[in-house]
Every structure is written in C-alpha cells, then in structure tokens.
Amino acid sequence: MIKIIKLYIEGHNYGHDLFELIRTFFKGKEIKFLDKVDLDRNKGYLIISKLTNNKEKPVACATIYYNNIIMEEIKEDLESINIHSYNKKQIEKLAIKKVVYRSLSKYLNIILPWGILTGIRPVKVVHTLIDMKFSNEKVLNILENEYKFTSSKALLIVNIALSQRKHLYPRDKEKFSLYINIPFCPSKCSYCSFPSFKIEGNEAIVEKYIDTLILEIESTKDTFKNRKLNTIYIGGGTPTSLEIHQLERIIDKIKTIFPNRVKEFTVEAGRPDTINEEKLEMLKSYGVNRISINPQTFNYKTLERIGRNHNIHSIKESYILAKKVDFDIINMDIILGLPGENTREFKNTLKEIKSLDPDNLTVHILSLKKGSQLYKKSIKDLEDNKNIEKMVEITSEYATKEGLIPYYMYRQKQILGNLENIGYTKPSKECIYNISMMEEKETIIGFGLGAVTKIYYPKKDRIRRVPNFKSLHDYINRVSEIIYKKNNMKFH
C-alpha cells in the first residue's frame, strides 16, 4: 500500500496550494516535497509540477509517475486562460493547479465537485469576477472551465453571490459588526474542535472570563465610537449555557456602549438544554431578534453517540418556547454524515424540521478535525459513508420544496465528500452577519477567547487579521496586550 505521495515543483512557489489540492485526491496519505528527483530510484506515486517558458510562452505542466512510469501528463499554455483582469500570479497559480487537477482527475477517474478550489470561501471568487464586470454567463463559464467546478456547484454559488450583494454593496469602510465569543458548553460534542470548556465545575473560571471579556470591550470602545455598527453576533460555545445574570451582564455592557438599533442581533442558543423562558425573555428585552436552536439530528441514539445531553422532546419544547416569546427569526443547524446515520435517519430529521418550520436551516457536513474526539476514531469508517452526496441532494430538494433559498456557504478542510456547508433561509430572513463574516467585505471586531478581528479595506478589497489568544490562560492573563492591539488598529 502506498502511504506517501511525493511532489516535486520547479519554476514556481505554489507548493502549498498544490499540497491542499493533492490531498483531496489522496485522503489520509502523507505528501512529501522533494528537493530533487531520481526517476531510476522512484517508487510509488510522484507528481512533478513545472512552470516553464517555451519560446517566451509560459507553460504549466503536470506529470504523474507511478513506479517510474508516466501515467498521465498534461500541459497548458497560460495564454489560453481568458480572464483578462487577473494578474500574472493569479494566472500562474490557476494554470498550475488546473493541470495537476486535470492529470489526477483523469488518471484516478475522480471528479471533485469544487474542482481546483481548496479554500473555504468559494463565493468570494464569484464576487471578485462580478466586480470585474464579467456577465453572469461568463462567470459560470470561468468557474466550470478554468476552476473545474461541476455545473451545479458553479450555478449554486453564482446564485448565492447574487442574493448576497444587496447586503455587501456599496462597500462602506465605516460599517462594522461585532462578534463576541462565549467558549462554554454543557458538554463537549464528539465532532467539535473549537476551544470550548465544560461549564459545570468551572464556575470561578467563567466569572474571570466574563470580567476579562467586559474589560476588553470597555477598554477599546473609543476605537469604534464614530463608526456604524451593523450587526451583533454572540456565539461560542453555547452563550446560553451561562447563568441569566451572567449573560445579561455582557449584553447590557454591549447595549450601553452601542445603544443605537442594529440591523440584526443574534445569540446562539444552540443547546436546547440551556434555554428557559426567563432567559429568552431577557434576550428579547435587549433587542435580540435572532437565535439558533441546533438539534444537529432528531435521532436519539445519535444524540447520545455525539455527546449531546438533550433529547428530541427538549428540542421541540425549546423551539415552541422561542416562538411563544416571539423571536423574529429562529435558525436550526443539522449535520450530515454523523456516525451511525444513513439516509433513513436523515430523512427522519428533515421530517421533524419540517414540522417546526424554522426560518433558517444551516446544513453542515461532518468535518473530521484533529481536535475532535471523532478524529481519534476510525476515519476510514466515517469516510466510507457513501450516502453524503445523496443526503446533500435530499436536502436541496427539501429546501426547494419548502421555499428555502441558499444564501451563504463555506467549506472546511477534511469535510466528508469534499462538499460544503450551506445556510438556507426563507425569503428576506437571511443572517446578515453570516454573509458579512464569510465574504469578508465588512470589518468584524472580535471579542473574547480565540475571536479574530478582521479589518476590511474596501479600496484594496483586502482584510487584516488581528487574532485574540486561543489559550484561556493567555486570554485572561494577557488581555492588556489584546487591548493595546485593538486600540492601535488602523482602519485606513
């Protein structure tokens, strides 16, 4: 069995991009970069990627060897790539990835739905092309022929991008959103890789964290006082795992500093076992107009298997309670590909979702992250789930039938089937924060453990990341460093 895929590059420095692309074809295999090649001694797979000038004409070439025998070779003239607004480096990278993809796809007889794209934000590519004044038809052509997307994925993200643009344009350098991270949960789900902590038994740490979080917000408020707050999002973790007075203390501080009405105020109430009427009434009184109640599945055995403490009845009960309190929009998350689930179990989850009729449905596909408990189990057992694509198809059909529109999407490394996570919405009920955060065309100010501030510069269409510490100890004990960085951020 071949365990190592060897890669040799010449004439370019796009090795990282090729590494990410190649590992989507060879899951679980080690990819080793070579400084030189000795074909006489080579065993197993060797991929050679070259960028050469042939009579002043740059050519990208990919060759696949197996035990010293050429199995596939494809070349492409860079001048054949017809995207006039791309610069030299963009064309080079596109061509190099494209020939490697075509070679591997042909030899291994594998078609990746997202072609050469390995990043988590495919819709950004569409926004860039639209900004370059390409027609919708031309954008589809570029996605299918240059990026090698399947036609269904190309059409999906063009439609998503077109629906998003009313929330992203015109670009405004003064506009920003807030993200506040609450890294505590009732229990740790087996698929979760986020830095989160069990709230039970950590009461003293929770209080220290809240004190530090409020200090960070209070000490940096003058940095944002003359800017326009667009949306607020409190996530985690599970924010509603806090006691009501703890959560209210945080929200009250935010509303005191930013008293004006915002377009959207979201709080993740993801775990039904953390919700009660008093807590929901408090959120509503502060202007929270969106919450998430996330079942992940409506199959009891799966809930037990992944470490969720709630049951099917509590999911429904919490949802009905939130409707009674009259929240404007309720989102529900589900996960495809959870261990032990097949299309039968998944259809049952959709049946229960339909009976509740949430305003948003966020459909995640299981991603095997190293920090999760699931990763430690047999990855092969999870990867052998042949039903992921069928589940995605069933979800799309369900959403269409129920009048739900895809409005944002993203991908993750190690996602099953090399597919995508999609947020669906009833018309005009999309989450503006999700769009802004994912497409990176608005400044997001992050508070709390592991939160990342992204400053957006519209003229250059780029962002600058200012991350907070991921260690709870560092966040609490070195918050002065975070405050200093935030107070010295440059927005222009």
Side-chain angles (χ1 to χ4, degrees):
M1 179 183 288
I2 303 301
K3 294 183 178 179
I4 299 175
I5 311 300
K6 286 161 279 189
L7 173 62
Y8 174 75
I9 62 176
E10 186 178 297
H12 66 83
N13 60 355
Y14 301 109
H16 174 74
D17 298 278
L18 290 183
F19 174 89
E20 294 295 337
L21 176 61
I22 291 167
R23 76 173 185 166
T24 60
F25 284 98
F26 296 100
K27 286 189 165 84
K29 306 295 184 186
E30 180 185 348
I31 300 171
K32 182 180 179 181
F33 287 87
L34 300 180
D35 295 324
K36 59 182 180 179
V37 172
D38 184 348
L39 290 175
D40 293 332
R41 295 174 179 239
N42 177 64
K43 295 292 182 184
Y45 278 109
L46 167 66
I47 300 169
I48 295 180
S49 170
K50 291 184 178 181
L51 180 63
T52 59
N53 277 316
N54 182 13
K55 294 182 180 178
E56 304 297 323
K57 187 178 287 188
V59 175
C61 176
T63 311
I64 301 172
Y65 289 86
Y66 184 71
N67 291 341
N68 304 335
I69 299 171
I70 294 179
M71 310 307 295
E72 200 66 55
E73 183 173 45
I74 290 180
K75 297 180 180 180
E76 179 150 353
D77 180 349
L78 270 64
E79 291 180 1
S80 68
I81 296 176
N82 184 26
I83 310 178
H84 60 77
S85 300
Y86 275 21
N87 61 36
K88 181 184 175 184
K89 285 191 173 183
Q90 287 174 305
I91 294 290
E92 283 180 355
K93 184 163 72 170
L94 185 59
I96 287 161
K97 291 178 71 175
K98 186 177 170 185
V99 292
V100 169
Y101 173 84
R102 289 174 58 202
S103 300
L104 288 171
S105 179
K106 186 176 180 182
Y107 173 59
L108 299 171
N109 194 29
I110 294 173
I111 294 174
L112 301 178
W114 293 102
I116 69 169
L117 201 73
T118 55
I120 68 172
R121 295 177 167 85
V123 185
K124 285 185 73 175
V125 175
V126 179
H127 285 300
T128 299
L129 293 171
I130 294 174
D131 289 346
M132 291 174 173
K133 308 303 181 185
F134 287 115
S135 66
N136 295 343
E137 184 180 357
K138 179 62 176 176
V139 172
L140 286 168
N141 180 271
I142 290 170
L143 295 178
E144 292 178 37
N145 295 315
E146 307 298 350
Y147 284 88
K148 310 307 292 181
F149 290 9
T150 61
S151 57
S152 62
K153 298 303 182 191
L155 184 60
L156 171 67
I157 63 169
V158 168
N159 286 335
I160 289 174
L162 292 173
S163 73
Q164 290 178 342
R165 289 178 77 83
K166 63 180 176 288
H167 297 297
L168 300 173
Y169 293 81
R171 295 180 291 190
D172 185 348
K173 66 183 179 182
E174 302 300 332
K175 188 171 68 172
F176 75 104
S177 288
L178 290 182
Y179 174 77
I180 295 93
N181 184 38
I182 309 298
F184 300 102
C185 283
S187 63
K188 185 85 168 179
C189 298
S190 63
Y191 54 79
C192 180
S193 63
F194 289 111
S196 60
F197 308 89
K198 192 173 180 180
I199 197 160
E200 187 179 348
N202 282 317
E203 289 80 7
I205 292 292
V206 172
E207 286 296 336
K208 280 186 181 178
Y209 181 82
I210 294 170
D211 289 343
T212 306
L213 177 65
I214 288 176
L215 177 63
E216 183 190 2
I217 297 169
E218 178 70 36
S219 300
T220 59
K221 63 183 180 183
D222 289 344
T223 307
F224 322 112
K225 65 181 179 182
N226 295 321
R227 311 183 76 79
K228 295 182 287 187
L229 181 58
N230 190 30
T231 70
I232 302 170
Y233 193 103
I234 302 180
T238 310
T240 47
S241 63
L242 298 179
E243 296 292 336
I244 185 169
H245 70 274
Q246 294 172 325
L247 186 55
E248 183 171 15
R249 185 180 163 211
I250 295 166
I251 294 175
D252 185 67
K253 176 57 66 176
I254 294 166
K255 293 300 287 184
T256 300
I257 294 172
F258 304 103
N260 294 333
R261 184 175 175 82
V262 294
K263 281 188 180 178
E264 178 182 275
F265 192 166
T266 305
V267 173
E268 286 186 359
R271 300 283 287 264
D273 45 326
T274 68
I275 301 170
N276 58 44
E277 188 166 4
E278 184 185 9
K279 207 173 280 188
L280 291 173
E281 291 281 9
M282 181 274 291
L283 295 176
K284 185 75 177 175
S285 71
Y286 278 94
V288 174
N289 54 13
R290 296 180 60 97
I291 61 169
S292 293
I293 299 172
N294 302 332
Q296 312 303 13
T297 176
F298 273 88
N299 296 289
Y300 181 71
K301 286 184 179 178
T302 309
L303 290 172
E304 270 192 328
R305 198 178 291 123
I306 62 177
R308 306 278 282 191
N309 292 337
H310 58 81
N311 56 36
I312 307 303
H313 178 71
S314 68
I315 298 170
K316 295 179 179 179
E317 204 172 48
S318 299
Y319 184 87
I320 292 167
L321 189 58
K323 293 298 280 187
K324 176 186 171 186
V325 175
D326 198 26
F327 277 94
D328 296 345
I329 301 172
I330 302 175
N331 172 74
M332 301 193 97
D333 281 14
I334 56 174
I335 300 177
L336 282 61
L338 289 170
E341 289 210 351
N342 209 312
T343 51
R344 181 169 61 87
E345 289 81 7
F346 178 61
K347 285 179 179 178
N348 177 64
T349 291
L350 285 183
K351 179 183 174 184
E352 298 288 358
I353 290 281
K354 180 177 180 178
S355 70
L356 296 173
D357 191 30
D359 306 287
N360 288 177
L361 177 63
T362 306
V363 182
H364 300 274
I365 295 177
L366 185 65
S367 178
L368 300 170
K369 297 293 185 69
K370 286 187 179 180
S372 69
Q373 296 171 31
L374 267 186
Y375 189 86
K376 299 170 187 175
K377 297 179 184 287
S378 172
I379 293 176
K380 186 177 184 302
D381 289 346
L382 293 168
E383 284 285 9
D384 279 348
N385 190 336
K386 308 282 187 190
N387 299 293
I388 297 297
E389 289 190 14
K390 182 63 178 175
M391 290 180 184
V392 170
E393 185 182 325
I394 291 169
T395 306
S396 179
E397 290 170 356
Y398 166 84
T400 300
K401 189 175 180 181
E402 297 303 311
L404 297 171
I405 304 160
Y407 78 97
Y408 91 110
M409 68 150 294
Y410 67 102
R411 304 178 66 237
Q412 293 172 282
K413 292 178 182 178
Q414 307 304 313
I415 195 169
L416 294 185
N418 195 41
L419 292 163
E420 68 284 330
N421 303 318
I422 299 185
Y424 292 94
T425 183
K426 290 182 178 178
S428 302
K429 292 196 173 185
E430 56 267 49
C431 177
I432 300 169
Y433 171 83
N434 282 341
I435 295 171
S436 299
M437 177 269 298
M438 197 53 60
E439 304 315 324
E440 298 184 323
K441 293 191 184 297
E442 177 186 305
T443 291
I444 308 286
I445 307 298
F447 292 104
L449 177 71
V452 178
T453 291
K454 297 179 182 180
I455 305 171
Y456 180 59
Y457 302 96
K459 285 186 178 179
K460 296 182 179 179
D461 193 25
R462 69 175 182 86
I463 61 163
R464 179 186 164 224
R465 293 167 54 90
V466 184
N468 283 4
F469 295 115
K470 293 182 179 180
S471 156
L472 189 56
H473 177 272
D474 285 344
Y475 176 70
I476 290 173
N477 292 285
R478 299 172 62 186
V479 70
S480 59
E481 297 174 42
I482 295 171
I483 292 168
Y484 177 81
K485 282 196 292 184
K486 273 197 169 63
N487 283 330
N488 286 276
M489 292 188 301
K490 305 294 183 187
F491 291 90
H492 302 287

